[in-house]
Amino acid sequence: MSSNTAKLDLAEVEARFDRIKQHKGVIGYIIINAEGQYIKTTLDNSTTTQYQSLISQLTRKGTSFVR
């Protein structure tokens, strides 16, 4: 994959997130990796930390339930 294709794909992803942010009731978004660390957020630090913790707990409980 060329670097131009990667940049285009990233631009498309950013554009999709921008469209999601425009939906009524959406205040922002958080992208979290498999380790539970946020990669990108549009929320303030306090809100990001709060949701990051809740999402990590939900993920652990879901994983435990499936096992």
Side-chain angles (χ1 to χ4, degrees), residues 29-41 45 48-49 51-57 59-60:
Y29 62 84
I30 305 170
I31 300 173
I32 297 178
N33 66 13
E35 289 79 35
Q37 301 166 332
Y38 77 90
I39 298 172
K40 182 170 181 153
T41 183
N45 193 39
T48 297
T49 302
Y51 282 110
Q52 178 183 10
S53 174
L54 292 170
I55 292 167
S56 293
Q57 289 175 34
T59 302
R60 281 192 302 273

Side-chain angles (χ1 to χ4, degrees), residues 8-58:
L8 179 62
D9 290 339
L10 182 57
E12 289 176 9
V13 170
E14 292 288 338
R16 289 181 188 212
F17 280 120
D18 287 340
R19 284 195 306 264
I20 290 170
K21 287 188 332 189
Q22 300 305 315
H23 286 246
K24 183 178 180 179
V26 174
I27 58 169
Y29 62 84
I30 305 170
I31 300 173
I32 297 178
N33 66 13
E35 289 79 35
Q37 301 166 332
Y38 77 90
I39 298 172
K40 182 170 181 153
T41 183
T42 59
L43 303 171
D44 62 76
N45 193 39
S46 174
T47 305
T48 297
T49 302
Q50 180 182 9
Y51 282 110
Q52 178 183 10
S53 174
L54 292 170
I55 292 167
S56 293
Q57 289 175 34
L58 180 61

